[in-house]
Amino acid sequence: MIISISGVPGSGKTSVGKILAQRLGLNFYSMGGLRGKMALDRGMTIDQLNALGERESFTDTEVDDYQRELGKKEDGFVIEGRLSWHFIPHSFKIFLDCGPMEAARRIYEARQRETERSDEPCYADIKEARADLDRRIASDVLRYEKYYGVDYRDPSHYDLVLDTTAMSRPEATAEKILNALRGKGVI
């Protein structure tokens, strides 16, 4: 079983993906983490890498080729990435949505207390985080349309769509997903 998790920034993709993988005894892969590393290796932030990606396809295609191959070689994992559903079409596809102000608050607060995502800037406030997220989403939409002709925000691509705005804990989101997987006979 392969579970792909897409969604907007700040919706909980990584946190929920890690919880699902742990509870199901599966490996977890983060395409956001890979792209973050790619940015840092080049001395850039993720937003600078995205801007470069609007002109140069390698910033996306290297990670996209990796996940496409992963989907062919392995049969049991959870993967987080905006286009994982597209490159691993036989996965159970999940989309996590979140209201823009709540997503900005989550990212702002997470960045204040952790140094794990050093590819993301430290925001002065939630308003600045929100503006940055809007730019990031616009860049993603532009690149994915340009290179693949898809809009990751279209709910018709997914087997399950959840709005996490009012879900304060990723464990609650993971439990909803596990219940949906049970209900659909996936697990």
Side-chain angles (χ1 to χ4, degrees):
M1 160 183 40
I2 300 172
I3 298 171
S4 60
I5 304 174
S6 183
V8 298
S11 61
K13 296 176 305 298
T14 302
S15 298
V16 170
K18 288 177 180 178
I19 293 166
L20 289 174
Q22 189 272 326
R23 289 197 186 165
L24 295 169
L26 300 172
N27 288 329
F28 174 72
Y29 298 98
S30 172
M31 297 307 98
L34 281 179
R35 293 192 80 251
K37 182 180 179 329
M38 181 187 288
L40 290 173
D41 288 350
R42 289 170 172 74
M44 306 172 120
T45 67
I46 192 68
D47 298 314
Q48 291 168 327
L49 184 73
N50 287 345
L52 177 61
E54 292 173 16
R55 299 180 311 276
E56 302 286 335
S57 66
F58 80 89
T59 67
D60 285 292
T61 56
E62 286 181 16
V63 172
D64 298 339
D65 290 344
Y66 172 78
Q67 58 189 325
R68 185 182 289 118
E69 287 304 309
L70 192 60
K72 291 176 184 176
K73 292 178 181 176
E74 289 189 34
D75 190 35
F77 59 91
V78 176
I79 187 168
E80 165 275 310
R82 301 246 201 300
L83 293 183
S84 297
W85 60 271
H86 180 71
F87 296 108
I88 310 173
H90 57 286
S91 64
F92 186 86
K93 301 166 211 54
I94 299 169
F95 183 84
L96 300 181
D97 202 1
C98 188
M101 285 309 292
E102 175 61 15
R105 183 194 65 76
R106 290 175 186 177
I107 288 174
Y108 171 78
E109 289 180 1
R111 192 64 179 106
Q112 298 305 305
R113 68 177 179 270
E114 65 184 50
T115 58
E116 184 177 312
R117 288 294 308 259
S118 55
D119 60 302
E120 290 193 13
C122 286
Y123 303 107
D125 55 30
I126 295 172
K127 184 178 175 182
E128 182 183 34
R130 165 74 193 272
D132 191 53
L133 292 181
D134 289 345
R135 284 188 296 274
R136 187 176 304 170
I137 290 169
S139 179
D140 289 345
V141 169
L142 176 80
R143 293 188 337 271
Y144 303 154
E145 175 61 36
K146 178 178 180 178
Y147 299 130
Y148 304 112
V150 299
D151 184 343
Y152 77 99
R153 302 167 303 169
D154 180 348
S156 70
H157 298 305
Y158 303 96
D159 300 305
L160 178 65
V161 176
L162 285 176
D163 186 334
T164 68
T165 305
M167 296 179 189
S168 60
R169 297 179 324 106
E171 294 83 7
T173 304
E175 195 56 44
K176 279 192 177 268
I177 292 169
L178 289 169
N179 287 336
L181 292 171
R182 288 182 198 103
K184 295 177 182 269
V186 177
I187 59 171

